Amino acid sequence: MKEGRIHPSLIKGCLANQRAAQRELYDRCLPYLSTIARRYLRSEASLKDILQDSFLQIFSKLHQFDPAKASFKTWSTRIVINNCLKRNGQAAKMPTEAFMPERDTRAISPAVLEQLEEAALAAWLRQMPTDLHTVFMLYVVDGFTHEEIAAMLSISTALSRQRLSRSRKWL
């Protein structure tokens, strides 16, 4: 899904229940949305379920997509992220875990981090406490603001900033 560009005729075809258009949209979006889901899911076993739920939601709510408000990439990414957060045990309602440096700090040198493959890095990041991991991914990787994160997780912006700070300490 290069730069969020999905041709309007493809969207119209999907809205008209044309199977070929729906399949093309699915095939074009699947690799990118899979990557997004892997970033947020605490369990790889949930990936297929999340993607299925997300595509069902994308196709059932496609009539609500407004290209004047956001690109299709942004709109569909938000759906996947929200579904992942729900699957992770309602991360928005989880209390902040106590940060204990002796327990939560990992002794890995920067040189080792450079050598990690992307999958290994993602697996290592999943060891981070859930509330810290979620804010870290939303802010650092996907570029949401603290205000947007606070709205998505039903927390204050101050708590979002605190969790980001703690996630950086964890790293």
PDB file of all heavy atoms in Angstrom, residues 36-68:
ATOM      1  N   ILE A  36       1.641  -4.051  10.686  1.00  0.00           N
ATOM      2  CA  ILE A  36       1.106  -3.201  11.759  1.00  0.00           C
ATOM      3  C   ILE A  36       0.592  -4.069  12.908  1.00  0.00           C
ATOM      4  O   ILE A  36       0.888  -3.816  14.080  1.00  0.00           O
ATOM      5  CB  ILE A  36      -0.031  -2.299  11.223  1.00  0.00           C
ATOM      6  CG1 ILE A  36       0.496  -1.306  10.191  1.00  0.00           C
ATOM      7  CG2 ILE A  36      -0.748  -1.572  12.361  1.00  0.00           C
ATOM      8  CD1 ILE A  36       1.529  -0.340  10.706  1.00  0.00           C
ATOM      9  N   ALA A  37      -0.187  -5.094  12.583  1.00  0.00           N
ATOM     10  CA  ALA A  37      -0.750  -5.962  13.622  1.00  0.00           C
ATOM     11  C   ALA A  37       0.351  -6.651  14.425  1.00  0.00           C
ATOM     12  O   ALA A  37       0.247  -6.754  15.650  1.00  0.00           O
ATOM     13  CB  ALA A  37      -1.686  -6.990  12.995  1.00  0.00           C
ATOM     14  N   ARG A  38       1.387  -7.094  13.768  1.00  0.00           N
ATOM     15  CA  ARG A  38       2.494  -7.763  14.480  1.00  0.00           C
ATOM     16  C   ARG A  38       3.159  -6.830  15.486  1.00  0.00           C
ATOM     17  O   ARG A  38       3.653  -7.270  16.517  1.00  0.00           O
ATOM     18  CB  ARG A  38       3.532  -8.258  13.486  1.00  0.00           C
ATOM     19  CG  ARG A  38       3.177  -9.566  12.861  1.00  0.00           C
ATOM     20  CD  ARG A  38       4.345 -10.149  12.058  1.00  0.00           C
ATOM     21  NE  ARG A  38       3.963 -11.408  11.494  1.00  0.00           N
ATOM     22  CZ  ARG A  38       3.466 -11.555  10.261  1.00  0.00           C
ATOM     23  NH1 ARG A  38       3.329 -10.506   9.465  1.00  0.00           N
ATOM     24  NH2 ARG A  38       3.116 -12.733   9.812  1.00  0.00           N
ATOM     25  N   ARG A  39       3.190  -5.550  15.184  1.00  0.00           N
ATOM     26  CA  ARG A  39       3.809  -4.587  16.109  1.00  0.00           C
ATOM     27  C   ARG A  39       3.060  -4.501  17.427  1.00  0.00           C
ATOM     28  O   ARG A  39       3.654  -4.257  18.467  1.00  0.00           O
ATOM     29  CB  ARG A  39       3.809  -3.189  15.499  1.00  0.00           C
ATOM     30  CG  ARG A  39       4.797  -2.983  14.431  1.00  0.00           C
ATOM     31  CD  ARG A  39       4.751  -1.532  14.008  1.00  0.00           C
ATOM     32  NE  ARG A  39       5.335  -1.354  12.704  1.00  0.00           N
ATOM     33  CZ  ARG A  39       5.096  -0.321  11.930  1.00  0.00           C
ATOM     34  NH1 ARG A  39       4.274   0.634  12.322  1.00  0.00           N
ATOM     35  NH2 ARG A  39       5.669  -0.221  10.764  1.00  0.00           N
ATOM     36  N   TYR A  40       1.751  -4.656  17.371  1.00  0.00           N
ATOM     37  CA  TYR A  40       0.929  -4.405  18.555  1.00  0.00           C
ATOM     38  C   TYR A  40       0.471  -5.652  19.283  1.00  0.00           C
ATOM     39  O   TYR A  40       0.179  -5.585  20.472  1.00  0.00           O
ATOM     40  CB  TYR A  40      -0.297  -3.562  18.174  1.00  0.00           C
ATOM     41  CG  TYR A  40       0.099  -2.147  17.886  1.00  0.00           C
ATOM     42  CD1 TYR A  40       0.387  -1.743  16.594  1.00  0.00           C
ATOM     43  CD2 TYR A  40       0.260  -1.229  18.908  1.00  0.00           C
ATOM     44  CE1 TYR A  40       0.800  -0.448  16.320  1.00  0.00           C
ATOM     45  CE2 TYR A  40       0.671   0.060  18.652  1.00  0.00           C
ATOM     46  CZ  TYR A  40       0.938   0.443  17.354  1.00  0.00           C
ATOM     47  OH  TYR A  40       1.358   1.712  17.103  1.00  0.00           O
ATOM     48  N   LEU A  41       0.376  -6.761  18.600  1.00  0.00           N
ATOM     49  CA  LEU A  41      -0.139  -7.965  19.242  1.00  0.00           C
ATOM     50  C   LEU A  41       0.863  -8.543  20.221  1.00  0.00           C
ATOM     51  O   LEU A  41       2.052  -8.598  19.950  1.00  0.00           O
ATOM     52  CB  LEU A  41      -0.493  -9.019  18.193  1.00  0.00           C
ATOM     53  CG  LEU A  41      -1.733  -8.731  17.379  1.00  0.00           C
ATOM     54  CD1 LEU A  41      -1.902  -9.776  16.292  1.00  0.00           C
ATOM     55  CD2 LEU A  41      -2.960  -8.686  18.262  1.00  0.00           C
ATOM     56  N   ARG A  42       0.367  -8.986  21.340  1.00  0.00           N
ATOM     57  CA  ARG A  42       1.218  -9.619  22.334  1.00  0.00           C
ATOM     58  C   ARG A  42       1.394 -11.101  21.998  1.00  0.00           C
ATOM     59  O   ARG A  42       2.278 -11.755  22.509  1.00  0.00           O
ATOM     60  CB  ARG A  42       0.607  -9.469  23.732  1.00  0.00           C
ATOM     61  CG  ARG A  42       0.368  -8.034  24.168  1.00  0.00           C
ATOM     62  CD  ARG A  42       1.602  -7.198  24.142  1.00  0.00           C
ATOM     63  NE  ARG A  42       2.435  -7.461  25.304  1.00  0.00           N
ATOM     64  CZ  ARG A  42       3.553  -6.831  25.552  1.00  0.00           C
ATOM     65  NH1 ARG A  42       3.978  -5.901  24.751  1.00  0.00           N
ATOM     66  NH2 ARG A  42       4.258  -7.125  26.599  1.00  0.00           N
ATOM     67  N   SER A  43       0.521 -11.627  21.147  1.00  0.00           N
ATOM     68  CA  SER A  43       0.576 -13.034  20.780  1.00  0.00           C
ATOM     69  C   SER A  43       0.459 -13.174  19.269  1.00  0.00           C
ATOM     70  O   SER A  43      -0.514 -12.726  18.666  1.00  0.00           O
ATOM     71  CB  SER A  43      -0.572 -13.781  21.460  1.00  0.00           C
ATOM     72  OG  SER A  43      -0.753 -15.046  20.885  1.00  0.00           O
ATOM     73  N   GLU A  44       1.436 -13.818  18.671  1.00  0.00           N
ATOM     74  CA  GLU A  44       1.430 -14.046  17.217  1.00  0.00           C
ATOM     75  C   GLU A  44       0.243 -14.921  16.808  1.00  0.00           C
ATOM     76  O   GLU A  44      -0.239 -14.850  15.690  1.00  0.00           O
ATOM     77  CB  GLU A  44       2.751 -14.703  16.807  1.00  0.00           C
ATOM     78  CG  GLU A  44       2.943 -14.909  15.339  1.00  0.00           C
ATOM     79  CD  GLU A  44       3.340 -13.656  14.580  1.00  0.00           C
ATOM     80  OE1 GLU A  44       3.790 -12.686  15.200  1.00  0.00           O
ATOM     81  OE2 GLU A  44       3.184 -13.661  13.348  1.00  0.00           O
ATOM     82  N   ALA A  45      -0.243 -15.735  17.743  1.00  0.00           N
ATOM     83  CA  ALA A  45      -1.353 -16.633  17.448  1.00  0.00           C
ATOM     84  C   ALA A  45      -2.640 -15.866  17.112  1.00  0.00           C
ATOM     85  O   ALA A  45      -3.524 -16.408  16.446  1.00  0.00           O
ATOM     86  CB  ALA A  45      -1.597 -17.559  18.637  1.00  0.00           C
ATOM     87  N   SER A  46      -2.737 -14.635  17.532  1.00  0.00           N
ATOM     88  CA  SER A  46      -3.942 -13.831  17.292  1.00  0.00           C
ATOM     89  C   SER A  46      -3.917 -13.107  15.946  1.00  0.00           C
ATOM     90  O   SER A  46      -4.900 -12.476  15.573  1.00  0.00           O
ATOM     91  CB  SER A  46      -4.098 -12.782  18.391  1.00  0.00           C
ATOM     92  OG  SER A  46      -4.171 -13.386  19.646  1.00  0.00           O
ATOM     93  N   LEU A  47      -2.815 -13.187  15.218  1.00  0.00           N
ATOM     94  CA  LEU A  47      -2.653 -12.395  14.001  1.00  0.00           C
ATOM     95  C   LEU A  47      -3.760 -12.642  12.974  1.00  0.00           C
ATOM     96  O   LEU A  47      -4.374 -11.695  12.480  1.00  0.00           O
ATOM     97  CB  LEU A  47      -1.284 -12.655  13.373  1.00  0.00           C
ATOM     98  CG  LEU A  47      -0.990 -11.885  12.098  1.00  0.00           C
ATOM     99  CD1 LEU A  47      -0.934 -10.382  12.376  1.00  0.00           C
ATOM    100  CD2 LEU A  47       0.309 -12.360  11.475  1.00  0.00           C
ATOM    101  N   LYS A  48      -4.017 -13.886  12.650  1.00  0.00           N
ATOM    102  CA  LYS A  48      -5.032 -14.183  11.634  1.00  0.00           C
ATOM    103  C   LYS A  48      -6.417 -13.699  12.064  1.00  0.00           C
ATOM    104  O   LYS A  48      -7.166 -13.168  11.249  1.00  0.00           O
ATOM    105  CB  LYS A  48      -5.068 -15.678  11.326  1.00  0.00           C
ATOM    106  CG  LYS A  48      -3.878 -16.153  10.530  1.00  0.00           C
ATOM    107  CD  LYS A  48      -3.977 -17.617  10.194  1.00  0.00           C
ATOM    108  CE  LYS A  48      -2.751 -18.065   9.411  1.00  0.00           C
ATOM    109  NZ  LYS A  48      -2.813 -19.489   9.076  1.00  0.00           N
ATOM    110  N   ASP A  49      -6.738 -13.889  13.331  1.00  0.00           N
ATOM    111  CA  ASP A  49      -8.043 -13.438  13.831  1.00  0.00           C
ATOM    112  C   ASP A  49      -8.175 -11.924  13.740  1.00  0.00           C
ATOM    113  O   ASP A  49      -9.208 -11.400  13.331  1.00  0.00           O
ATOM    114  CB  ASP A  49      -8.253 -13.883  15.281  1.00  0.00           C
ATOM    115  CG  ASP A  49      -8.436 -15.383  15.410  1.00  0.00           C
ATOM    116  OD1 ASP A  49      -8.808 -16.026  14.405  1.00  0.00           O
ATOM    117  OD2 ASP A  49      -8.209 -15.911  16.517  1.00  0.00           O
ATOM    118  N   ILE A  50      -7.121 -11.217  14.131  1.00  0.00           N
ATOM    119  CA  ILE A  50      -7.136  -9.752  14.088  1.00  0.00           C
ATOM    120  C   ILE A  50      -7.297  -9.269  12.659  1.00  0.00           C
ATOM    121  O   ILE A  50      -8.081  -8.358  12.376  1.00  0.00           O
ATOM    122  CB  ILE A  50      -5.846  -9.168  14.716  1.00  0.00           C
ATOM    123  CG1 ILE A  50      -5.910  -9.263  16.224  1.00  0.00           C
ATOM    124  CG2 ILE A  50      -5.621  -7.710  14.294  1.00  0.00           C
ATOM    125  CD1 ILE A  50      -6.999  -8.446  16.883  1.00  0.00           C
ATOM    126  N   LEU A  51      -6.555  -9.862  11.747  1.00  0.00           N
ATOM    127  CA  LEU A  51      -6.646  -9.442  10.345  1.00  0.00           C
ATOM    128  C   LEU A  51      -8.028  -9.733   9.776  1.00  0.00           C
ATOM    129  O   LEU A  51      -8.591  -8.909   9.053  1.00  0.00           O
ATOM    130  CB  LEU A  51      -5.555 -10.113   9.513  1.00  0.00           C
ATOM    131  CG  LEU A  51      -4.139  -9.612   9.809  1.00  0.00           C
ATOM    132  CD1 LEU A  51      -3.107 -10.462   9.087  1.00  0.00           C
ATOM    133  CD2 LEU A  51      -3.984  -8.149   9.432  1.00  0.00           C
ATOM    134  N   GLN A  52      -8.582 -10.877  10.119  1.00  0.00           N
ATOM    135  CA  GLN A  52      -9.926 -11.197   9.648  1.00  0.00           C
ATOM    136  C   GLN A  52     -10.938 -10.197  10.200  1.00  0.00           C
ATOM    137  O   GLN A  52     -11.749  -9.647   9.447  1.00  0.00           O
ATOM    138  CB  GLN A  52     -10.321 -12.612  10.069  1.00  0.00           C
ATOM    139  CG  GLN A  52     -11.716 -12.999   9.614  1.00  0.00           C
ATOM    140  CD  GLN A  52     -12.068 -14.424   9.996  1.00  0.00           C
ATOM    141  OE1 GLN A  52     -11.227 -15.224  10.344  1.00  0.00           O
ATOM    142  NE2 GLN A  52     -13.341 -14.735   9.930  1.00  0.00           N
ATOM    143  N   ASP A  53     -10.873  -9.936  11.492  1.00  0.00           N
ATOM    144  CA  ASP A  53     -11.784  -8.966  12.097  1.00  0.00           C
ATOM    145  C   ASP A  53     -11.598  -7.579  11.481  1.00  0.00           C
ATOM    146  O   ASP A  53     -12.571  -6.864  11.225  1.00  0.00           O
ATOM    147  CB  ASP A  53     -11.559  -8.875  13.616  1.00  0.00           C
ATOM    148  CG  ASP A  53     -11.960 -10.139  14.356  1.00  0.00           C
ATOM    149  OD1 ASP A  53     -12.657 -10.995  13.760  1.00  0.00           O
ATOM    150  OD2 ASP A  53     -11.566 -10.288  15.534  1.00  0.00           O
ATOM    151  N   SER A  54     -10.357  -7.218  11.249  1.00  0.00           N
ATOM    152  CA  SER A  54     -10.070  -5.894  10.692  1.00  0.00           C
ATOM    153  C   SER A  54     -10.590  -5.757   9.271  1.00  0.00           C
ATOM    154  O   SER A  54     -11.195  -4.738   8.920  1.00  0.00           O
ATOM    155  CB  SER A  54      -8.565  -5.622  10.730  1.00  0.00           C
ATOM    156  OG  SER A  54      -8.110  -5.584  12.066  1.00  0.00           O
ATOM    157  N   PHE A  55     -10.380  -6.767   8.441  1.00  0.00           N
ATOM    158  CA  PHE A  55     -10.882  -6.680   7.070  1.00  0.00           C
ATOM    159  C   PHE A  55     -12.406  -6.707   7.026  1.00  0.00           C
ATOM    160  O   PHE A  55     -13.016  -6.017   6.208  1.00  0.00           O
ATOM    161  CB  PHE A  55     -10.276  -7.769   6.182  1.00  0.00           C
ATOM    162  CG  PHE A  55      -8.938  -7.383   5.629  1.00  0.00           C
ATOM    163  CD1 PHE A  55      -7.773  -7.935   6.138  1.00  0.00           C
ATOM    164  CD2 PHE A  55      -8.834  -6.437   4.621  1.00  0.00           C
ATOM    165  CE1 PHE A  55      -6.537  -7.560   5.638  1.00  0.00           C
ATOM    166  CE2 PHE A  55      -7.603  -6.050   4.111  1.00  0.00           C
ATOM    167  CZ  PHE A  55      -6.451  -6.617   4.631  1.00  0.00           C
ATOM    168  N   LEU A  56     -13.017  -7.465   7.906  1.00  0.00           N
ATOM    169  CA  LEU A  56     -14.490  -7.428   7.981  1.00  0.00           C
ATOM    170  C   LEU A  56     -14.967  -6.023   8.326  1.00  0.00           C
ATOM    171  O   LEU A  56     -15.911  -5.506   7.731  1.00  0.00           O
ATOM    172  CB  LEU A  56     -15.009  -8.429   9.016  1.00  0.00           C
ATOM    173  CG  LEU A  56     -14.987  -9.889   8.611  1.00  0.00           C
ATOM    174  CD1 LEU A  56     -15.342 -10.778   9.802  1.00  0.00           C
ATOM    175  CD2 LEU A  56     -15.948 -10.141   7.463  1.00  0.00           C
ATOM    176  N   GLN A  57     -14.286  -5.409   9.261  1.00  0.00           N
ATOM    177  CA  GLN A  57     -14.635  -4.049   9.663  1.00  0.00           C
ATOM    178  C   GLN A  57     -14.344  -3.050   8.534  1.00  0.00           C
ATOM    179  O   GLN A  57     -15.142  -2.143   8.277  1.00  0.00           O
ATOM    180  CB  GLN A  57     -13.850  -3.679  10.921  1.00  0.00           C
ATOM    181  CG  GLN A  57     -14.402  -2.527  11.675  1.00  0.00           C
ATOM    182  CD  GLN A  57     -13.713  -2.365  13.023  1.00  0.00           C
ATOM    183  OE1 GLN A  57     -12.803  -3.101  13.385  1.00  0.00           O
ATOM    184  NE2 GLN A  57     -14.150  -1.356  13.764  1.00  0.00           N
ATOM    185  N   ILE A  58     -13.223  -3.215   7.861  1.00  0.00           N
ATOM    186  CA  ILE A  58     -12.882  -2.324   6.745  1.00  0.00           C
ATOM    187  C   ILE A  58     -13.952  -2.394   5.669  1.00  0.00           C
ATOM    188  O   ILE A  58     -14.448  -1.369   5.195  1.00  0.00           O
ATOM    189  CB  ILE A  58     -11.489  -2.672   6.177  1.00  0.00           C
ATOM    190  CG1 ILE A  58     -10.392  -2.210   7.151  1.00  0.00           C
ATOM    191  CG2 ILE A  58     -11.289  -2.044   4.798  1.00  0.00           C
ATOM    192  CD1 ILE A  58      -9.003  -2.751   6.841  1.00  0.00           C
ATOM    193  N   PHE A  59     -14.338  -3.604   5.283  1.00  0.00           N
ATOM    194  CA  PHE A  59     -15.323  -3.740   4.220  1.00  0.00           C
ATOM    195  C   PHE A  59     -16.723  -3.320   4.666  1.00  0.00           C
ATOM    196  O   PHE A  59     -17.467  -2.725   3.895  1.00  0.00           O
ATOM    197  CB  PHE A  59     -15.344  -5.171   3.665  1.00  0.00           C
ATOM    198  CG  PHE A  59     -14.156  -5.484   2.804  1.00  0.00           C
ATOM    199  CD1 PHE A  59     -13.294  -6.517   3.126  1.00  0.00           C
ATOM    200  CD2 PHE A  59     -13.888  -4.739   1.666  1.00  0.00           C
ATOM    201  CE1 PHE A  59     -12.190  -6.799   2.329  1.00  0.00           C
ATOM    202  CE2 PHE A  59     -12.786  -5.012   0.862  1.00  0.00           C
ATOM    203  CZ  PHE A  59     -11.936  -6.047   1.204  1.00  0.00           C
ATOM    204  N   SER A  60     -17.073  -3.584   5.912  1.00  0.00           N
ATOM    205  CA  SER A  60     -18.424  -3.208   6.368  1.00  0.00           C
ATOM    206  C   SER A  60     -18.545  -1.705   6.628  1.00  0.00           C
ATOM    207  O   SER A  60     -19.641  -1.152   6.580  1.00  0.00           O
ATOM    208  CB  SER A  60     -18.803  -3.991   7.625  1.00  0.00           C
ATOM    209  OG  SER A  60     -18.007  -3.607   8.722  1.00  0.00           O
ATOM    210  N   LYS A  61     -17.428  -1.031   6.895  1.00  0.00           N
ATOM    211  CA  LYS A  61     -17.469   0.407   7.182  1.00  0.00           C
ATOM    212  C   LYS A  61     -16.842   1.242   6.070  1.00  0.00           C
ATOM    213  O   LYS A  61     -16.588   2.426   6.257  1.00  0.00           O
ATOM    214  CB  LYS A  61     -16.760   0.693   8.501  1.00  0.00           C
ATOM    215  CG  LYS A  61     -17.473   0.067   9.686  1.00  0.00           C
ATOM    216  CD  LYS A  61     -16.860   0.462  10.988  1.00  0.00           C
ATOM    217  CE  LYS A  61     -17.684  -0.139  12.109  1.00  0.00           C
ATOM    218  NZ  LYS A  61     -17.395   0.454  13.379  1.00  0.00           N
ATOM    219  N   LEU A  62     -16.608   0.628   4.932  1.00  0.00           N
ATOM    220  CA  LEU A  62     -15.956   1.325   3.833  1.00  0.00           C
ATOM    221  C   LEU A  62     -16.746   2.553   3.388  1.00  0.00           C
ATOM    222  O   LEU A  62     -16.168   3.552   2.972  1.00  0.00           O
ATOM    223  CB  LEU A  62     -15.742   0.368   2.653  1.00  0.00           C
ATOM    224  CG  LEU A  62     -14.800   0.837   1.560  1.00  0.00           C
ATOM    225  CD1 LEU A  62     -13.435   1.218   2.112  1.00  0.00           C
ATOM    226  CD2 LEU A  62     -14.650  -0.243   0.499  1.00  0.00           C
ATOM    227  N   HIS A  63     -18.064   2.490   3.553  1.00  0.00           N
ATOM    228  CA  HIS A  63     -18.888   3.647   3.180  1.00  0.00           C
ATOM    229  C   HIS A  63     -18.600   4.859   4.079  1.00  0.00           C
ATOM    230  O   HIS A  63     -18.903   5.989   3.719  1.00  0.00           O
ATOM    231  CB  HIS A  63     -20.377   3.274   3.243  1.00  0.00           C
ATOM    232  CG  HIS A  63     -20.848   2.931   4.626  1.00  0.00           C
ATOM    233  ND1 HIS A  63     -20.618   1.701   5.210  1.00  0.00           N
ATOM    234  CD2 HIS A  63     -21.510   3.669   5.534  1.00  0.00           C
ATOM    235  CE1 HIS A  63     -21.125   1.697   6.429  1.00  0.00           C
ATOM    236  NE2 HIS A  63     -21.679   2.882   6.661  1.00  0.00           N
ATOM    237  N   GLN A  64     -17.981   4.641   5.241  1.00  0.00           N
ATOM    238  CA  GLN A  64     -17.656   5.733   6.157  1.00  0.00           C
ATOM    239  C   GLN A  64     -16.297   6.367   5.844  1.00  0.00           C
ATOM    240  O   GLN A  64     -15.961   7.412   6.384  1.00  0.00           O
ATOM    241  CB  GLN A  64     -17.643   5.230   7.604  1.00  0.00           C
ATOM    242  CG  GLN A  64     -18.989   4.772   8.097  1.00  0.00           C
ATOM    243  CD  GLN A  64     -18.908   4.192   9.499  1.00  0.00           C
ATOM    244  OE1 GLN A  64     -17.843   4.081  10.095  1.00  0.00           O
ATOM    245  NE2 GLN A  64     -20.058   3.806  10.029  1.00  0.00           N
ATOM    246  N   PHE A  65     -15.505   5.709   4.997  1.00  0.00           N
ATOM    247  CA  PHE A  65     -14.187   6.233   4.649  1.00  0.00           C
ATOM    248  C   PHE A  65     -14.340   7.536   3.877  1.00  0.00           C
ATOM    249  O   PHE A  65     -15.081   7.627   2.914  1.00  0.00           O
ATOM    250  CB  PHE A  65     -13.408   5.212   3.806  1.00  0.00           C
ATOM    251  CG  PHE A  65     -12.168   5.780   3.180  1.00  0.00           C
ATOM    252  CD1 PHE A  65     -11.114   6.226   3.965  1.00  0.00           C
ATOM    253  CD2 PHE A  65     -12.058   5.884   1.811  1.00  0.00           C
ATOM    254  CE1 PHE A  65      -9.974   6.763   3.388  1.00  0.00           C
ATOM    255  CE2 PHE A  65     -10.921   6.410   1.218  1.00  0.00           C
ATOM    256  CZ  PHE A  65      -9.882   6.850   2.012  1.00  0.00           C
ATOM    257  N   ASP A  66     -13.618   8.570   4.340  1.00  0.00           N
ATOM    258  CA  ASP A  66     -13.665   9.886   3.711  1.00  0.00           C
ATOM    259  C   ASP A  66     -12.247  10.305   3.335  1.00  0.00           C
ATOM    260  O   ASP A  66     -11.441  10.641   4.210  1.00  0.00           O
ATOM    261  CB  ASP A  66     -14.268  10.905   4.679  1.00  0.00           C
ATOM    262  CG  ASP A  66     -14.425  12.290   4.074  1.00  0.00           C
ATOM    263  OD1 ASP A  66     -14.028  12.491   2.904  1.00  0.00           O
ATOM    264  OD2 ASP A  66     -14.933  13.175   4.787  1.00  0.00           O
ATOM    265  N   PRO A  67     -11.914  10.275   2.031  1.00  0.00           N
ATOM    266  CA  PRO A  67     -10.555  10.634   1.628  1.00  0.00           C
ATOM    267  C   PRO A  67     -10.180  12.080   1.944  1.00  0.00           C
ATOM    268  O   PRO A  67      -9.001  12.424   1.952  1.00  0.00           O
ATOM    269  CB  PRO A  67     -10.539  10.372   0.119  1.00  0.00           C
ATOM    270  CG  PRO A  67     -11.951  10.224  -0.298  1.00  0.00           C
ATOM    271  CD  PRO A  67     -12.757   9.901   0.916  1.00  0.00           C
ATOM    272  N   ALA A  68     -11.159  12.920   2.235  1.00  0.00           N
ATOM    273  CA  ALA A  68     -10.858  14.303   2.602  1.00  0.00           C
ATOM    274  C   ALA A  68     -10.308  14.387   4.030  1.00  0.00           C
ATOM    275  O   ALA A  68      -9.602  15.328   4.380  1.00  0.00           O
ATOM    276  CB  ALA A  68     -12.113  15.165   2.477  1.00  0.00           C
TER     277      ALA A  68
END
